[in-house]
Amino acid sequence: MNVIIYLLPLALGLGLIGLFAFLWALKSGQYGDVDGAALRVLSDDDLEK
Amino acid sequence: MELAVDGISCAACIGRIEGAVKRLPGVTEARLNYTNRRLHVAWADGALRPAQILSALETQGYRGHPFVPLRAEQEEAAEARKLTRCLAVAGFAAMNIMLLSVSVWSGNVTDITPETRDFFHWASALIALPAAAYAGRPFFASAWRALKARALNMDVPISLGVILALGMSLVETANHAEHAYFDSAIMLLFFLLIGRTLDHAMRRKTRAVAGNLAALRADTAHRFVGGEVVSVPVAAVKAGDKLLVRPGERVPADGVVQTGNSEIDESLITGETARRAIASGATVYAGSMNYSGTLTLLVTAAGGAALIDEIERLLEKAASAKSRAMRLADRASRVYAPVVHVTAALTLAGWLIAGASAHDALITAIAVLIITCPCALALAIPAVQVVASGALFRANIILNAGDAIERLAEADTVVFDKTGTLTLPEPRVVNAGALDVELLQKAARLALSSRHPLAVALSREATLRAPYDGAVEEPGQGVHALIDGLEARLGSAMFCGLAPSPFVPAQAGTQSPTTGAAWVPACAGTNGDFGASSIHFSYGRQSATIAINQSLRPDAVETVQALRARGLDLMILSGDRDEAVAPVAAMLGIDVWQGGLKPAAKIARIEELKRQGRRVLMVGDGLNDAPSLAAADVSLSPISAADVTQAQADAVFLGERLKPVADAVAIARRARRLMAENLWLAALYNLVAVPVAIAGLVTPLIAALAMSGSSLLVTVNALRARGPR
């Protein structure tokens, strides 16, 4: 059972990484425009420059 | 700078708009938010004038409007971010604690060692305590505010339950006990935060739509500076300014006409559809549409214009007099909170009298608090509301007020305004069927070149939206162009070389004697017709007279029937003349109607209805309706409504159909039924669970199952609010 001593913090740490990734995404405004990104990918105007 | 951009419809728009703005010298950043149709532009100081950005947009065919986010909207955005962060933290904590708890539960029936269990409990505590301290803030703060005001709300039992559950679990963990309730507390927070976040997101979406519309409406005024005319934002107009108002523009501020003759449409302000002839010396009000001639105007009151002030004063009075209908949830929580607290106290006392130790009695009492934790109860109503407002959104109705659904469900009398509500906000061609299709199309395409309101109405008929080359507008007379080598003219009868239209009777007493400046004669009160205007078109030797009129919303008749079938009483209260209201009432089969009502009279009628014990749903759009919307029990207004009016309505409906009104009532009634059902389900759950808790038989596993089970039940039941589809 001793394996839990480091497995548990490891699991928590991974969870925390996920949480902070989400909070960072939220803070950097990635949920500000949820419809635009899907349409932006269709435009090719970044190719010629 | 933030701009609300009009006319975005496709993916290519993003590139075109951003590209056009970025090509301007000095612009460092341009980013379009497709979701809320707003463009963010940043530029080096002094490198360009903001007007250049607007004209760059215009060359691409979009209209941009400077947008100043309202304080309320910014605060709501901050609140939404906070809620989402709380939700993320609670979700993370709930998942991890559940992982540990499930291990403990399965271990308790197999071979877990007390040391391992303690370790798991401490780990849970380590996650739960900071998470609850962070994610519970919205509830704690609200509960604290309620307590300070010596009141109870739903958040008080929630906060108490969470804090006690965590505290007790901590003590139990320190005593190496078998059970801890960290999972229950955090799961409760997680469930409740989901409800609250969804609720908030729905309201914010509404706010953004309304904010954009407000920005789109804020137009520019033309001010005389010295001898020159300069465009300024309407907000910058001051009393004493001299303004130029061209045909087809709205009057930007209250004022006195100095020079010029014209006809103005004041339907937005008074509901009256007949145009008023004005000459120098006449007083005009902000929001009126200038029809035929160019006017110079001396501003007497700007911004909070005099007439609008008057209406706002009425509005405040009406809003404060509005009996605050108590929400179902508040009523439930008012009963619920004391009952729970008393039950817990009685349990404690009962077990002590029965001779249990203080520790056991306390644990049982807290178990009662947890098991009755208003999970189901607190979700019962918000879940239905979220699902129902989603259903309303699909039916093209946007809610302004959270409790509107309940009030909508209770309405038994519908009061309609006429202009812009039962009728379309913009005039339409009404005799399209009687005209030659090709001729009408040519006229409509030619009309694209004019800004005259009637021409704008006609141009909506154009299937090919390309104006003719070389079309020339003669101010005050009409437009002409060469189409396939033949002269085409659109405008007054004289301009087209025609005899005056046969259906312009000379008896139009409410109208001006048609002046030379008015290129379209208007007539009102023609036999049963409500304010038809005509516009003439000649093409070579062919000619046509096109009648343009306020027409009923296309499905008004069916909607009125549907509402009546639901047992609602219908009536029309209009600011327009009786002659204009009567035909509409007759067409719709509404017997009870009144015309020529001033805003105060409308309120008086509504108050009277309320005194008779009726629940009044008011549907209106004009500035003159705003106070009555506030006075009614619940109100709806079309998206084309005036700003103040829209802000006052409980819900706003989109599109040119009236059907949303009937849909709104149907959805609200279904939602209301489900809310009541859900409350009964929650009560039933408590009826079963509480005795178990009082008996002291509740383990964390039972608590978790009961809580998620009941929450799931009410949520699934709430999904039925989507309606049969």
Side-chain angles (χ1 to χ4, degrees), chain B residues 338-469:
Chain B
V339 168
V340 167
H341 295 159
V342 168
T343 314
L346 284 179
T347 309
L348 177 67
W351 277 99
L352 282 176
I353 292 167
S357 69
H359 170 257
D360 288 351
L362 197 64
I363 286 192
T364 315
I366 291 174
V368 170
L369 267 184
I370 296 173
I371 202 83
T372 57
C373 242
C375 215
L377 207 55
L379 269 175
I381 286 168
V384 176
Q385 259 169 357
V386 167
V387 177
S389 51
L392 287 171
F393 198 81
R394 277 189 303 277
N396 282 334
I397 304 152
I398 304 174
L399 282 179
N400 263 348
D403 57 342
I405 294 178
E406 287 170 39
R407 286 185 278 123
L408 260 174
E410 287 166 359
D412 55 14
T413 307
V414 188
V415 174
F416 285 103
D417 171 48
K418 182 185 73 72
T419 318
T421 305
L422 289 172
T423 66
L424 287 170
E426 282 123 11
R428 287 291 166 95
V429 173
V430 286
N431 62 346
L435 299 171
D436 179 51
V437 178
E438 252 175 60
L439 203 61
L440 181 64
Q441 282 303 321
K442 286 200 172 71
R445 269 184 74 187
L446 186 58
L448 285 168
S449 306
S450 171
R451 288 197 63 188
H452 190 284
L454 288 181
V456 171
L458 173 58
S459 69
R460 276 191 207 99
E461 297 293 321
T463 43
L464 186 61
R465 305 204 59 82
Y468 290 111
D469 287 332

Side-chain angles (χ1 to χ4, degrees), chain A residues 1 4-5 8-9 11-12 15-16 19 22-23 26-27 32-36 39-40 42-43 45, chain B residues 10-11 14-15 18 31-36 81 84-85 88-89 92 96 100 116 119-120 123 127:
Chain A
M1 284 308 260
I4 288 173
I5 303 284
L8 195 71
L12 279 182
L16 277 175
L19 177 64
F22 175 76
L23 291 179
L26 190 68
K27 194 173 178 176
D33 181 10
V34 284
D35 302 328
L39 297 172
R40 258 170 219 282
L42 298 174
S43 95
D45 57 14
Chain B
C10 61
I14 301 177
E18 288 182 358
R31 185 147 183 105
L32 182 78
N33 185 330
Y34 191 84
T35 307
N36 59 17
R81 270 198 301 277
T84 318
R85 278 202 302 269
V89 170
F92 159 79
N96 283 288
L100 295 167
T116 315
F119 174 67
F120 274 29
I127 308 166

Side-chain angles (χ1 to χ4, degrees), chain B residues 461-701:
Chain B
E461 297 293 321
T463 43
L464 186 61
R465 305 204 59 82
Y468 290 111
D469 287 332
V472 179
E473 179 160 14
E474 304 285 345
Q477 296 190 61
V479 265
H480 62 86
L482 279 180
I483 305 175
D484 303 332
L486 282 174
E487 171 87 356
R489 281 171 171 258
L490 180 74
S492 66
M494 221 197 307
F495 179 71
C496 300
L498 301 169
S501 148
F503 67 88
V504 180
Q507 51 97 287
T510 48
Q511 288 302 310
S512 65
T514 310
T515 54
W519 61 276
V520 177
C523 61
T526 36
N527 349 314
D529 219 340
F530 39 110
S533 307
S534 55
I535 185 168
H536 302 270
F537 180 62
S538 68
Y539 176 61
R541 311 189 60 175
Q542 291 174 287
S543 71
T545 299
I546 299 155
I548 289 176
N549 203 343
Q550 294 273 342
S551 56
L552 281 180
R553 288 182 186 260
D555 58 345
V557 178
E558 293 100 84
T559 305
V560 162
Q561 278 162 0
L563 284 171
R564 197 173 286 133
R566 291 192 177 275
L568 291 152
D569 286 333
L570 307 175
M571 57 182 73
I572 301 178
L573 298 180
S574 175
D576 205 351
R577 297 150 299 130
D578 281 354
E579 308 89 79
V581 185
V584 174
M587 241 184 285
L588 296 172
I590 297 177
D591 308 326
V592 191
W593 59 269
Q594 261 183 303
L597 291 172
K598 296 256 174 308
K602 274 197 192 186
I603 296 182
R605 278 291 291 150
I606 288 172
E607 292 293 341
E608 198 185 314
L609 289 170
K610 281 168 79 177
R611 267 199 304 281
Q612 292 167 7
R614 290 165 183 266
R615 303 289 184 123
V616 182
L617 162 62
M618 168 87 198
V619 191
D621 78 319
L623 212 48
N624 60 327
D625 294 319
S628 4
L629 290 178
D633 290 298
V634 56
S635 49
L636 274 171
S637 102
I639 198 75
S640 53
D643 245 5
V644 196
T645 317
Q646 233 172 62
Q648 206 53 46
D650 290 312
V652 175
F653 63 94
L654 312 172
E656 59 176 43
R657 298 188 165 270
L658 197 61
K659 187 161 172 285
V661 177
D663 287 347
V665 173
I667 293 171
R669 288 192 171 176
R670 193 166 53 220
R672 164 83 191 198
R673 204 179 57 238
L674 285 169
M675 281 179 198
E677 253 175 53
N678 267 353
L679 283 180
W680 282 114
L681 280 177
L684 203 69
Y685 152 78
N686 276 328
L687 222 58
V688 175
V690 170
V692 179
I694 293 177
L697 298 173
V698 170
T699 63
L701 176 60

